[in-house]
Amino acid sequence: MNTYAGLVTVLNSLNQRAHTAFDTLRQGPDWQVRSDVTIPALRHAALLMLVKDEADCLGLNLRHHYRLGFRRFFILDNNSTDGTDQVIAHFRKDAPQADIFYAQDYQKAYYQAAKMQALHQFAETYLRHDANPPDWIFFVDADEFITCCHRGQNAAEDFTRMVTDPEARLLMFHWAQAALVTSTPPYQLTSFGASLAETECVVWPAMQEEVTKVAFRTGFGLTTGQGNHFVEQLALVEGHTRLMMDVGFCMLHFPYRSMPQIERKLLNGMDALRASHLPPEMGQHWRVQYEQYQQGGQEALRRILAQHLALCLTTGQEQAPESR
């Protein structure tokens, strides 16, 4: 990764701006999680996903992004066994205008960056001779939702202005951690509704850390690294990056949803790491949480879930939510 001081300063400035914008919006009267915003300018963008046993949220994710305006979906399924294929088949049936490429990734090993780069290159090559080749490449995980989080009437126009800006090469989104739990005592876990707007959940009251996910314009040779958090060619996007928090869009992130889901996530993550030849410092969060699980079993899972719920609940709410 390029670490020139000037570029690092630019990134830090963007992160700080996003942090301030999120906290101001979240704590003000205009905060609202919305599912009614559609951006027609996304019609020719490609949305890329690598999924593994997340059928509990994948269907909503696909419908959410279809409603947002995406019509091209490239999905790489890493050996899911939870009915993921049926979720995608139902989406294909319910959204006939969606163009869906779905492939089974037989390689268990944890090589996310390489796989997503391959999927990106495939998507561009696959659509090269289409009447409208892809203009933007977006990346989301099954538990991440590009979401308008403000009540303003010009949300679609503001987003459109970003993607149609001829000088824009990179769109930077920031995570907003979210949890499926009631917002008032007695705290109880909830589940996804028909849309995010109809889902009872909480979003952290202030940004605790700045974690980015990006989309990039095709034609500039850009590629993402591990996690799709930024591009590897920083010099090419300096002065050409657009901060999506400026127009009230963030990436709602639901990483921990229930104890069975967390257990499945840890087991899958460690299986993938063991099958790879990555250095031990890679996937450190998986390794630490898996060790906690090995030592503490269900109590460790309960603690991971409770910590996430506490992160997302309003500051000062001390009563632990009921976990299951």
Side-chain angles (χ1 to χ4, degrees), residues 21-29 31 149 202-206 312 314:
F22 177 84
D23 288 358
T24 300
L25 176 62
R26 181 68 182 88
Q27 296 160 20
W31 171 265
C149 292
V202 295
V203 179
W204 61 8
C312 296
T314 303

Side-chain angles (χ1 to χ4, degrees), residues 14-316:
L14 287 169
N15 278 330
Q16 186 56 52
R17 205 167 89 208
H19 195 137
T20 301
F22 177 84
D23 288 358
T24 300
L25 176 62
R26 181 68 182 88
Q27 296 160 20
D30 292 329
W31 171 265
Q32 182 182 15
V33 174
R34 296 176 60 181
S35 299
D36 62 338
V37 176
T38 300
I39 298 102
L42 292 175
R43 171 64 183 90
H44 302 305
L47 185 71
L48 277 53
M49 307 176 71
L50 174 63
V51 300
K52 172 75 172 183
D53 287 337
E54 295 196 273
D56 66 307
C57 61
L58 179 59
L60 176 60
N61 185 298
L62 294 171
R63 294 191 301 273
H64 174 86
H65 289 105
Y66 182 84
R67 188 179 297 114
L68 190 62
F70 288 99
R71 293 297 182 268
R72 290 170 167 171
F73 298 82
F74 286 77
I75 307 168
L76 194 58
D77 179 6
N78 184 230
N79 301 293
S80 294
T81 60
D82 66 343
T84 287
D85 56 341
Q86 293 302 308
V87 170
I88 295 170
H90 288 148
F91 174 64
R92 192 191 299 272
K93 180 179 178 181
D94 294 340
Q97 294 183 352
D99 299 324
I100 304 165
F101 176 86
Y102 172 55
Q104 291 284 346
D105 169 23
Y106 68 86
Q107 189 178 53
K108 181 187 293 187
Y110 186 76
Y111 296 122
Q112 184 196 49
K115 292 178 181 182
M116 293 308 291
Q117 287 179 6
L119 187 61
H120 154 226
Q121 291 166 5
F122 172 80
E124 284 208 56
T125 303
Y126 184 78
L127 294 170
R128 179 180 300 162
H129 300 294
D130 192 273
N132 296 284
D135 49 0
W136 286 89
I137 304 292
F138 285 74
F139 304 87
V140 297
D141 294 341
D143 57 7
E144 297 172 336
F145 298 76
I146 299 171
T147 306
C148 177
C149 292
H150 72 94
R151 302 178 188 275
Q153 297 181 352
N154 299 320
E157 291 82 355
D158 290 340
F159 195 115
T160 299
R161 177 165 45 83
M162 295 292 198
V163 295
T164 57
D165 177 357
E167 292 299 314
R169 298 180 185 175
L170 192 78
L171 306 181
M172 180 189 289
F173 297 90
H174 281 75
W175 269 357
Q177 298 288 5
L180 295 172
V181 65
T182 55
S183 59
T184 57
Y187 302 114
Q188 299 289 331
L189 295 185
T190 63
S191 57
F192 286 114
S195 69
L196 277 189
E198 299 170 90
T199 296
E200 188 170 11
C201 64
V202 295
V203 179
W204 61 8
M207 189 174 287
Q208 305 292 326
E209 60 177 340
E210 302 92 9
V211 180
T212 62
K213 292 295 289 272
V214 296
F216 58 72
R217 189 186 292 277
T218 58
F220 292 94
L222 300 175
T223 56
T224 55
Q226 192 74 20
N228 305 304
H229 296 299
F230 212 74
V231 292
E232 298 176 317
Q233 304 80 12
L234 295 187
L236 294 180
V237 298
E238 184 179 9
H240 301 279
T241 298
R242 302 297 177 261
L243 190 63
M244 299 310 290
M245 269 312 309
D246 282 346
V247 291
F249 282 81
C250 56
M251 186 83 74
L252 292 192
H253 185 217
F254 294 85
Y256 304 115
R257 303 180 292 279
S258 70
M259 287 171 59
Q261 175 262 328
I262 296 171
E263 183 176 40
R264 185 171 64 247
K265 185 172 187 172
L266 293 181
L267 292 175
N268 285 339
M270 276 309 299
D271 281 348
L273 282 172
R274 287 180 178 134
S276 72
H277 300 287
L278 295 172
E281 61 269 18
M282 293 292 291
Q284 192 62 23
H285 66 292
W286 293 113
R287 301 179 196 274
V288 170
Q289 290 185 338
Y290 181 76
E291 183 176 354
Q292 293 171 347
Y293 168 65
Q294 288 290 90
Q295 296 176 354
Q298 293 296 303
E299 182 55 37
L301 299 177
R302 185 175 292 106
R303 186 163 54 249
I304 292 171
L305 180 57
Q307 288 171 349
H308 180 68
L309 300 181
L311 177 73
C312 296
L313 286 165
T314 303
T315 302

